[in-house]
């Protein structure tokens, strides 16, 4: 099958973006957007669908197994992982790729997600005392720790914007892990930060739930975090 | 707080362990990594981490952990270093528990599982996502020191050059992948840049983002390496798009069995040939047996991993993540049908040669984690690698802290090329695979070396490609120098 891969690109030294399309042919059912991008970049002379020479496509990846979040991008309008999106999911053969729009674009599909990590630092998200582990904490901690900080939830969120006071869903798993393992005293600061940077800005649209590549039950995490932080049900 | 600073390159388990230890000693750290910690290969680690915690009533001891590690590694590793590692393991795992790693436990007692090459239960685990759980806890802990100004992250920065004079590290050069600017960092440096996956692109269970460039650059700068021929092929991997997916040893630790069809019937060859540990023999032995049985005339088809005998509780509480991963990639439920598996490259026992204190032959330069060669000899035991990375990172940090001075960061105008050509990468991969397979012979290793040597003319002097070629040749030379079979280096010469 022949796919037309249309990429919204941006050069490093130019503010303006542009679209460029590439043909990619494969019969393999296993191929993903990630493998297509790799193969295109391995061509000795990459040319677009109009036959023009093109520079290599910049994008990020690491694990190729949905476990590291590096390859998040917008695929046919939906924030997803490139290593998760199989080409066979697009029977019409048109695949549109764009960088996550909530972060500054570095080049092509590479974005600078530093703000996500900065926000976690601002929220002072770390344990201040030894973890208290129980059956319930273990379950919540495990589920929370599955978050790969890819940013898909922020992309889909109607309330998140980079630099705003609301830090979005990606801060919730980190908060939840720490809350689940902290006693009342140790939770105080975390609760304060959570109320300020998460609870107050969340419009409960829960769009994040549908796009989380790890299928984290974001609603469940929110309910648990709110129970502790807002409704004081320890 | 003083101005002593250490550069740590790499932010996986080893790099984070080093950064945390430096912070606790009040020493500042520049934590430099190609990608943020969340993307490091360490998040992929599955089955668990070893420590003789003796919580399962089997009377396990650190002495037995030491002996199993030495035996598994064919006694190629340094005894004193392994003893330090295994003696410290229980404290390391207990500390991880205090940092909130949700190890499977009952009322505070950490439950241990069986892993390869060890008769007693010694592997602490969080289902089949142990690496991810440990990384999350360490990332959170490191954040505390970032906020305190002790750790400064450079998390889209690549090591691109090293300046070594008279066996002393002068500086490292680091390129910001986002701005393309290059900086030099003076001062003591710990390399925690992970394994050599990038030399075997698409053929390993790890990440190709560990390009191996750091190793090639270090080697070219005069850093000594050891045991580069010791490449671990994990027995149970499956080819998926552009990489090999691991089916954790935990599957066999919990009861999974390997078989091949012989004369029309399943033959559980590991159980028959090695009744002492059966399917849980060290990985080099299992992979080699799989290689050999699948070439026998009386055997047909592939080797299968049969996990259909595992009870529901195990699937639910211990391996639910592994099961869903197999279903998602292979469209097969391992609880219902056996899965075809074959050995794939998984770990590099060889690397930068370090002392017990993790010093390299270059003053001011240290190494830890999979980038270094210390604890795993000719074959690493499952569950010892995360342990080695954590203990190594901590030890290297303690050593580097002693000699640490000021670090000066300066922007440089000299651009450094870092992108290797896909064509050369692929040739190197194919040639290395021919020479350094599960079963090797002198002729094919020599042939590979010759092919690699002809590549030298095709690259520019001092380019990253030329350094990679030099390094690949070193891997083959290292293999050729070892004329007897040992662990992962198994020779079968014709005639
Ligand atoms: C699928 C899988 C499962 C595993 N399961 C287990 C297990 O159950 N138990 C166990 O003990 N071990 C396991 N291992 C092995 C173990 O995970 C690794 O050996 C260990 O995590 C390595 O840690 P590290 O810190 O040395 O390297 P990594 O985690 O690989 O980190 C390397 C760091 O260096 C950075 N880097 C690389 N090159 C450069 C450069 N040029 N410039 C700047 N930065 C650079 C990377 O960005 C990264 O931050 C597993 C490995 C895999 C692949
Ligand atoms: S490359 Fe890791 S999630 Fe896609």
């Amino acid at each position: 099958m022949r796919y037309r891969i249309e990429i919204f690109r941006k050069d490093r030294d130019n503010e303006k973006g542009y679209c460029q399309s590439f043909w990619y042919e494969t019969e393999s059912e296993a191929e993903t957007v990630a493998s297509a991008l790799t193969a295109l970049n391995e061509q000795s002379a990459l040319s677009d669908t109009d036959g023009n020479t093109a520079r290599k496509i910049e994008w990020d990846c690491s694990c190729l197994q949905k476990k590291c979040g590096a390859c998040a991008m917008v695929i046919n309008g939906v924030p997803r992982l490139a290593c998760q999106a199989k080409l066979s999911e697009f029977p019409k053969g048109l695949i549109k790729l764009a960088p996550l729009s909530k972060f500054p674009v570095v080049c092509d599909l590479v974005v600078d997600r530093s703000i996500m990590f900065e926000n976690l630092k601002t929220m002072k998200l770390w344990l201040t005392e030894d973890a208290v582990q129980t059956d319930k904490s273990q379950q919540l901690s495990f589920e929370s720790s599955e978050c790969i900080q890819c940013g898909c939830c922020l992309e889909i969120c109607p309330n998140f914007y980079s630099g705003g006071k609301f830090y979005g869903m990606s801060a919730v798993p980190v908060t939840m892990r720490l809350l689940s393992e902290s006693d009342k005293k140790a939770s105080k600061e975390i609760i304060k930060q959570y109320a300020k940077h998460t609870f107050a800005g969340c419009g409960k649209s829960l769009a994040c739930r549908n796009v989380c590549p790890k299928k984290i039950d974001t609603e469940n995490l929110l309910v648990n975090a709110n129970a502790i932080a807002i409704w004081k049900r320890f | 707080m003083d101005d002593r600073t250490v550069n740590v390159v790499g932010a996986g388990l080893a790099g984070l362990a080093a950064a945390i230890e430096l912070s606790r000693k009040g020493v500042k750290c520049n934590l430099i990594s190609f990608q943020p910690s969340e993307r490091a290969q360490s998040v992929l680690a599955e089955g668990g981490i070893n420590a003789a915690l003796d919580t399962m009533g089997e009377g396990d001891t650190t002495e037995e952990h030491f002996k199993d590690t030495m035996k598994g590694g064919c006694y190629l590793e340094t005894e004193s270093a392994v003893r330090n590692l295994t003696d410290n393991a229980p404290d390391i795992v207990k500390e991880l528990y205090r940092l909130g790693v949700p190890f499977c436990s009952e009322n505070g007692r950490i439950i241990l599982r069986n892993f390869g090459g060890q008769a007693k239960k010694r592997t602490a685990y969080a289902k089949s996502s142990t690496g991810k759980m440990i990384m999350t806890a360490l990332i959170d802990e490191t954040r505390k020191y970032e906020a305190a100004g002790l750790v400064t992250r450079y998390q889209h920065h690549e090591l691109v050059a090293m300046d070594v004079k008279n066996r002393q590290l002068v500086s490292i050069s680091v390129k910001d992948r986002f701005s393309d600017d290059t900086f030099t960092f003076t001062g003591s440096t710990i390399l925690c840049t992970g394994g050599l996956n990038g030399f075997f692109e698409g053929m390993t269970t790890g990440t190709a983002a560990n390009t191996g460039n750091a190793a090639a650059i270090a080697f070219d700068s005069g850093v000594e390496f050891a045991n580069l021929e010791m490449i671990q092929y994990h027995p149970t991997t499956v080819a998926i798009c552009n990489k090999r997916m691991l089916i954790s040893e935990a599957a066999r630790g919990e009861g999974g069995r390997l078989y091949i069809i012989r004369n029309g019937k399943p033959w559980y060859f590991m159980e028959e040939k090695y009744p002492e540990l059966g399917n849980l023999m060290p990985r080099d032995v299992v992979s080699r047996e799989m290689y050999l049985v699948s070439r026998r005339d009386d055997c047909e088809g592939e080797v299968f991993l049969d996990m259909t005998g595992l009870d529901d509780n195990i699937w639910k509480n211990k391996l639910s993540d592994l099961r869903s991963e197999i279903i998602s990639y292979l469209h097969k439920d391992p609880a219902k049908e056996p899965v075809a598996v074959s050995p794939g490259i998984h770990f590099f026992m060889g690397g930068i040669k370090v002392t017990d204190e993790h010093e390299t032959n270059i003053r001011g330069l240290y190494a830890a984690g999979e980038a270094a060669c210390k604890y795993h000899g000719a074959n690493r035991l499952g569950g010892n690698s995360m342990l080695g990375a954590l203990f190594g990172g901590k030890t290297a940090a303690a050593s580097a802290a002693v000699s640490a001075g000021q670090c000066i960061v300066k922007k440089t105008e000299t651009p450094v090329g870092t992108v290797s050509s896909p064509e050369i990468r692929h040739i190197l991969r194919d040639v290395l695979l021919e020479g350094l397979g599960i079963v090797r012979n002198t002729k094919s290793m020599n042939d590979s070396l010759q092919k690699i040597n002809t590549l030298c003319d095709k690259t520019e002097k001092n380019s990253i490609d030329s350094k990679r070629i030099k390094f690949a040749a070193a891997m083959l030379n290292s293999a050729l120098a070892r004329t007897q079979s040992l662990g992962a280096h198994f020779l079968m010469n014709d005639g």
Side-chain angles (χ1 to χ4, degrees), chain B residues 10-11 13-14 34 41-42 45-48 159 193 210 347 369-370 383 385-386:
Chain B
L13 284 175
F34 186 70
Q41 177 177 296
S42 290
E46 297 183 356
L159 174 86
T193 42
N210 284 350
F347 186 82
E370 205 173 325
S385 161
M386 288 201 271

Side-chain angles (χ1 to χ4, degrees), chain A residues 65, chain B residues 9-15 32-37 39-50 115 130 135 157-160 192-195 197 205-207 209-214 217 243 246 248 283 346-347 368-371 380-387 389:
Chain A
Q65 248 182 291
Chain B
V9 188
L13 284 175
I32 301 159
S33 57
F34 186 70
Q35 288 170 322
S37 291
R39 328 280 182 235
Q41 177 177 296
S42 290
V43 302
L44 297 180
E46 297 183 356
I49 175 168
N50 295 338
F115 241 46
T130 317
M135 282 295 285
H157 293 69
E158 183 180 8
L159 174 86
V160 290
C192 304
T193 42
N197 301 274
T205 56
T207 161
N210 284 350
T211 54
N213 285 0
I217 290 164
K243 79 171 295 187
L246 177 76
S248 167
R283 291 170 182 174
H346 180 61
F347 186 82
E370 205 173 325
R380 163 179 80 89
L381 294 188
N384 265 356
S385 161
M386 288 201 271
L387 177 65

